[in-house]
Amino acid sequence: MASSAAPLFDAGTIADRWIAEYRASAPADDMLSGDPAWAAVFEELAGLAGENLEAARERAHRHAEDIGTGFRIAGEGEERPWPLSPIPLLIPQAEWNAIAAGIAQRAEVMEQVLADLYGPGKLVADGHVPAALVTGSPFFLRPLANSVPPGGYHLQALAIDLCRGPNGEWRVLADHLRAPAGAGYALENRLAMAQTLDGLQTRLNIARHAPFFAAFREGLAARCRRAEPRIALLTPGRLNPSYAEQAHLARYLGWLLVEGADLAVLDDKLYVRTIAGLKRVDALWRRLDPRLLDPLALDSHSTIGVPGLVDAMVAGNVVIANAPGAGLLEAPAFAAFLPRLAELLTGEALSLPNIATWWCGQDDAKAHVEADLDRLLVKSAFGVPPLGLPGAKAVLGAALQGEARAALLADMARRPQDYVGQEIVHLSTMPVVTEDRLAARPFTLRVFAARGSDGAWTVLPGGFARIGEHADARAAVMGEGMWSADVCVHGPDPVEPVSLLPAGDSTQLRRNPGTLPSRVADNMFWLGRYLERGEAQLGVIRVLLGNSISADTGAALAADTVRRLVDILVANQAAPAPGAIRRADLTHLARAALEDVEQGWNSVAAINAQARLIGQVSRDRLAADMVRLLDAPFPARGTLLDKAGSLQRRYSALAGLAAEHMGRTDAWRFHDMGRRVERALATLRFLRAFGRVDATSDDLGTLLDLADSQISYRQRYLTGIGRVPVLDLVTLDPGNPRGIAYQVGAISGHLNKLPVLSDDGLAEPQQEQARELAAILVTGQAVRIDDTMLAGLELRLGLLSDAIARRYFLQGAEPLRAAGLVLA
């Protein structure tokens, strides 16, 4: 009764009680700063979920999943859902202004240091920076020495981790310059929280994220030589821990999401390989380790880089953000020198101080670390675990005892330059929901900065918070954190509703959806093929199990017809051949062909796994609903027919989303072509198995089932099943959307609308083959259809698929040599 009744108190009363209980349990928390905005947060939470905090957390998680937020732990194959807390971190505008100024100051100091270290080298020559700190760092890229990045800046974007001590002072924990990650998560957190606590934005005047991303986009474009540059986000691929974030950012910013194989350098210019030839790329926001960027200039073992990319950058033809080598200052060892360099270069102390750091490459610092080891955190100086810290980049000195301590001190004596000591930082805490109550947990804050078009730094108002799993407030113990939280910068003044999109009346209209990389076309094509392949095999399994819509067939199929169904599954390598066709044998066969993924068979589950992989690398091209359906777990409950029915509904939903929600772009054309090719190939195999000259009524009924044409046939022919009319409907009728002729016509139509490489007006090979195939079907006669003709159609269709792949998809270096190559 109590659970279904209205709450006894209003949202304000519930919020006051939560705050009072929390203050009693966490007396040193940020919420005791006196900021009244916290009361507004908890009133919104109470209005959302009543007294059920767990419901608020579940809603935040659901909104994050709806957006598609996810991450991957290094070494794991599957993504994890993004752990979003329903309680944001609040920072008043005045306090944030000081943080933003400190971030911009720090970024400018690091820019000046990088310009010198990769340029004249006065800081080393004058003794302000030890030479070993530069040349001994794995982040120093010697091939980039004495080069000026296009646009003049080494840094275009960066991320900085901050911590807040119990006394409220903000300090820098770490700098991220090589491939700063997380801005997309900050954006996704804000989108999810805007849906969870939809009244908080206007109630607290929360600063918006869109101006930051607009400044970043405009700033990178301003560094390029062309007035309308093409910009791409370079990703290491789907196995990168933050691939989902990268895909979301590329879509939001309107940039191409590319991998190294998509790119090619020709005459010191960078191009992306597209279905229309090579298209010029003017700037890259790289999320790739800089050492892997170019196997010719950097790591020769890299298979994911772009040969010649460094030459293109040095020639000034492509802007890379951040410039390779910028990660030199990311090394923890540099934190020991940055405060002094700031005063030397700018005459001012850093307003956001580092945590105290001692580089053991200097005798005095080494002696200090050894003497105070139990009160310090010992870390790798350059991010790579040294011999004295096997398997770890950092460890509390007090935790090292016995042999481990002796091994550290011994290695520190041999190679002191590999170590730094840092003070142990105690973090302030913020509230999280755990077990339906509020609990205090330590947090760190990642902040992002980017250059605008004028070269000045813009700081994202908020960033995102990492929240520790345990109450221990030492930064070294917290690690990477357990939850994330939105960070809301709030103030007294209303905030304009800014969007990343320009005003409607100032937007230049365009109906060209943009460049389609060849790899993306390949993925879309094979996504269509895998989905159709899985659905076709599922159809065979359902008929085998007796799920025919015809009352005359189904469970009472003749033995020869059943054998032909079994032969199709065996030929598809979906399952091993059964010893007999008894019910138990057929059930075992159907189960293996449906869900076996451990024995290496080409089951429906295995086919779906291939489609899922493509969906994971196509997030920037597919609707969120489509990605969720592709990621959905394989049905685990019910009978085989129940599972098959569930999968059939999923295939239908995916087909509907593709048909009704994908824009009629070239990407959609490749997806639809893949479906048409696979459907036609499967139907031809069904025709050869069940459309024989001696076909029985069971054979023909099964053929109509597999071709999904039972209803069409019954509406057209009322006198029973005949071989010739069945073959005509399934093979030659251009009005049957499940028939061969319809598929070939659709393929030919798509090919006629795709770009060509020459302007002579002649058909390309894939277009010629499609037209020849269509002509055979247009002039064909059902009475003359036999196995020879069907085998010839199957061969031609396979050759057409190969021709599409040769023309449009990546073929090693071939696109660089292709006749009629388009350069734009």
Side-chain angles (χ1 to χ4, degrees):
M1 293 291 293
S3 61
S4 61
L8 297 176
F9 305 104
D10 61 17
T13 303
I14 296 172
D16 289 342
R17 177 164 53 78
W18 280 343
I19 292 174
E21 292 174 352
Y22 184 72
R23 285 177 171 174
S25 64
D29 193 271
D30 264 354
M31 286 181 60
L32 298 185
S33 62
D35 187 350
W38 283 106
V41 170
F42 285 102
E43 285 179 14
E44 290 288 332
L45 279 172
L48 167 70
E51 300 196 28
N52 188 349
L53 282 167
E54 192 65 33
R57 184 170 70 170
E58 291 176 0
R59 181 164 177 174
H61 286 178
R62 186 168 63 253
H63 286 312
E65 288 181 3
D66 289 344
I67 294 169
T69 312
F71 73 106
R72 178 180 282 105
I73 299 293
E76 292 185 354
E78 298 296 325
E79 281 189 356
R80 298 186 180 190
W82 185 245
L84 176 62
S85 169
I87 304 173
L89 174 66
L90 301 183
I91 301 179
Q93 184 68 59
E95 183 177 3
W96 180 257
N97 289 343
I99 293 173
I103 295 293
Q105 177 201 33
R106 188 178 186 87
E108 200 54 45
V109 169
M110 289 191 288
E111 177 66 50
Q112 292 186 41
V113 173
L114 286 169
D116 178 81
L117 295 181
Y118 280 100
K122 286 182 58 62
L123 292 175
V124 172
D126 294 344
H128 300 296
V129 175
L133 192 62
V134 179
T135 58
S137 171
F139 302 143
F140 178 67
L141 301 183
R142 194 176 302 276
L144 278 301
N146 299 314
S147 65
V148 178
Y153 298 117
H154 290 265
L155 297 176
Q156 194 71 32
L158 53 83
I160 294 176
D161 288 340
L162 302 179
C163 66
R164 187 178 185 186
N167 61 356
E169 178 191 35
W170 290 97
R171 302 168 74 187
V172 174
L173 280 172
D175 302 297
H176 302 278
L177 311 178
R178 285 182 296 165
Y185 290 132
L187 174 62
E188 291 168 336
N189 281 354
R190 176 57 53 85
L191 293 174
M193 288 306 299
Q195 298 176 57
T196 305
L197 305 178
D198 54 0
L200 206 60
Q201 179 75 48
T202 54
R203 187 171 179 180
L204 294 183
N205 300 320
I206 295 173
R208 296 178 180 266
H209 287 351
F212 166 82
F213 289 103
F216 180 31
R217 188 170 65 179
E218 294 163 4
L220 199 51
R223 311 283 94 79
C224 300
R225 288 181 172 179
R226 296 198 299 174
E228 295 185 7
R230 182 177 287 113
I231 302 176
L233 191 158
L234 177 59
T235 173
R238 69 172 186 85
L239 294 180
N240 186 263
S242 62
Y243 179 80
E245 178 225 9
Q246 296 164 28
H248 184 76
L249 276 173
R251 175 182 285 182
Y252 183 70
L253 292 166
W255 294 346
L256 288 174
L257 183 66
V258 299
E259 298 180 19
D262 297 325
L263 304 173
V265 173
L266 189 64
D267 297 331
D268 285 343
K269 296 182 178 65
L270 182 66
Y271 297 90
V272 58
R273 293 162 167 166
T274 79
I275 62 170
L278 298 183
K279 300 293 184 181
R280 179 83 177 273
V281 175
D282 302 275
L284 285 178
W285 183 21
R286 61 168 182 81
R287 299 292 290 272
L288 191 65
D289 186 319
R291 291 169 292 188
L292 304 178
L293 278 175
D294 184 345
L296 297 182
L298 301 170
D299 187 343
S300 61
H301 296 95
S302 173
T303 59
I304 59 176
V306 186
L309 180 58
V310 168
D311 288 341
M313 188 195 78
V314 172
N317 293 324
V318 59
V319 177
I320 300 179
N322 289 328
L328 175 63
L329 302 192
E330 187 176 306
F334 250 101
F337 297 87
L338 205 61
R340 188 170 58 192
L341 292 175
E343 294 189 15
L344 175 70
L345 295 172
T346 68
E348 298 178 348
L350 291 173
S351 60
L352 284 176
N354 295 334
I355 58 173
T357 303
W358 294 267
W359 179 51
C360 295
Q362 295 178 308
D363 292 339
D364 290 346
K366 175 175 174 289
H368 174 77
V369 172
E370 290 175 335
D372 285 358
L373 187 61
D374 288 338
R375 291 188 292 273
L376 295 176
L377 177 73
V378 183
K379 294 182 67 173
S380 163
F382 301 104
V384 180
L387 292 178
L389 298 174
K393 296 180 181 179
V395 66
L396 293 168
L400 290 169
Q401 301 296 330
E403 293 182 3
R405 191 182 188 95
L408 170 68
L409 293 174
D411 194 57
M412 192 181 294
R414 287 191 298 269
R415 291 186 58 84
Q417 69 271 20
D418 290 344
Y419 296 89
V420 296
Q422 290 184 333
E423 66 173 312
I424 298 173
V425 178
H426 289 267
L427 307 175
S428 58
T429 59
M430 65 174 288
V432 300
V433 177
T434 175
E435 298 179 353
D436 201 29
R437 65 181 182 85
L438 296 178
R441 293 292 183 267
F443 71 90
T444 61
L445 172 62
R446 179 162 292 189
V447 183
F448 304 91
R451 290 192 189 276
S453 58
D454 60 355
W457 288 99
T458 298
V459 179
L460 177 70
F464 78 86
R466 279 196 177 105
I467 306 172
E469 181 178 5
H470 306 291
D472 193 322
R474 290 175 296 177
V477 175
M478 185 186 128
E480 292 295 313
M482 180 65 178
W483 295 289
S484 77
D486 187 20
V487 182
C488 298
V489 176
H490 64 95
D493 301 322
V495 177
E496 291 295 325
V498 181
S499 169
L500 188 62
L501 300 175
D505 55 0
S506 67
T507 303
Q508 182 178 356
L509 296 178
R510 61 179 299 174
R511 291 180 180 171
N512 178 357
T515 303
L516 182 66
S518 294
R519 178 182 54 85
V520 177
D522 194 346
N523 286 337
M524 291 293 101
F525 182 79
W526 276 99
L527 177 60
R529 290 201 63 170
Y530 282 130
L531 291 176
E532 284 292 328
R533 184 174 298 177
E535 186 172 8
Q537 184 156 302
L538 183 67
V540 177
I541 295 169
R542 295 181 76 191
V543 173
L544 187 65
L545 292 172
N547 195 42
S548 170
I549 64 171
S550 169
D552 299 328
T553 59
L557 290 176
D560 286 344
T561 303
V562 172
R563 288 191 183 94
R564 293 186 182 105
L565 288 167
V566 170
D567 289 344
I568 288 175
L569 294 176
V570 173
N572 290 344
Q573 297 184 345
I581 58 170
R582 294 170 301 184
R583 182 175 183 82
D585 297 304
L586 296 179
T587 300
H588 180 76
L589 172 73
R591 178 173 285 107
L594 183 69
E595 58 189 15
D596 190 341
V597 294
E598 296 180 356
Q599 304 301 320
W601 297 104
N602 192 28
S603 64
V604 173
I607 295 170
N608 284 0
Q610 294 297 318
R612 182 185 183 192
L613 290 178
I614 294 177
Q616 289 177 350
V617 299
S618 305
R619 293 173 183 269
D620 58 323
R621 301 280 174 171
L622 299 175
D625 286 340
M626 199 164 183
V627 173
R628 275 195 293 274
L629 282 172
L630 291 169
D631 283 343
F634 197 82
R637 305 175 70 176
T639 66
L640 286 179
L641 273 177
D642 291 336
K643 296 176 182 178
S646 175
L647 287 170
Q648 182 58 53
R649 290 188 291 274
R650 189 181 302 177
Y651 282 128
S652 297
L654 286 164
L657 286 170
E660 299 297 332
H661 292 267
M662 289 183 73
R664 277 7 185 198
T665 62
D666 288 341
W668 169 78
R669 294 192 188 285
F670 279 98
H671 178 71
D672 197 63
M673 273 199 300
R675 284 185 173 275
R676 305 297 176 185
V677 167
E678 191 65 36
R679 185 180 298 174
L681 284 170
T683 306
L684 281 167
R685 295 179 189 124
F686 298 153
L687 279 161
R688 296 184 67 186
F690 300 103
R692 302 147 53 105
V693 174
D694 58 350
T696 65
S697 60
D698 274 2
D699 290 337
L700 296 174
T702 298
L703 174 57
L704 290 173
D705 277 344
L706 296 176
D708 200 15
S709 299
Q710 277 275 17
I711 294 175
S712 297
Y713 185 87
R714 296 297 175 85
Q715 289 177 337
R716 190 171 306 181
Y717 303 103
L718 306 178
T719 58
I721 294 180
R723 176 178 178 272
V724 171
V726 168
L727 295 185
D728 180 74
L729 175 65
V730 176
T731 309
L732 303 178
D733 189 343
N736 178 12
R738 309 295 297 190
I740 306 295
Y742 188 93
Q743 314 313 315
V744 172
I747 295 168
S748 184
H750 288 319
L751 291 174
N752 289 337
K753 293 184 178 180
L754 289 173
V756 295
L757 292 182
S758 62
D759 56 4
D760 57 15
L762 298 177
E764 292 187 342
Q766 71 280 359
Q767 293 172 321
E768 290 179 352
Q769 292 183 37
R771 293 171 188 176
E772 290 172 0
L773 189 55
I776 294 173
L777 294 167
V778 168
T779 58
Q781 296 180 15
V783 294
R784 297 182 178 178
I785 295 176
D786 57 16
D787 189 70
T788 300
M789 176 185 175
L790 295 173
L793 291 174
E794 187 176 349
L795 176 62
R796 284 178 174 272
L797 198 58
L799 293 174
L800 174 58
S801 178
D802 292 342
I804 292 171
R806 280 195 303 274
R807 165 58 183 86
Y808 295 110
F809 306 155
L810 293 181
Q811 305 289 332
E814 183 178 344
L816 295 180
R817 306 189 303 267
L821 186 69
V822 177
L823 300 175

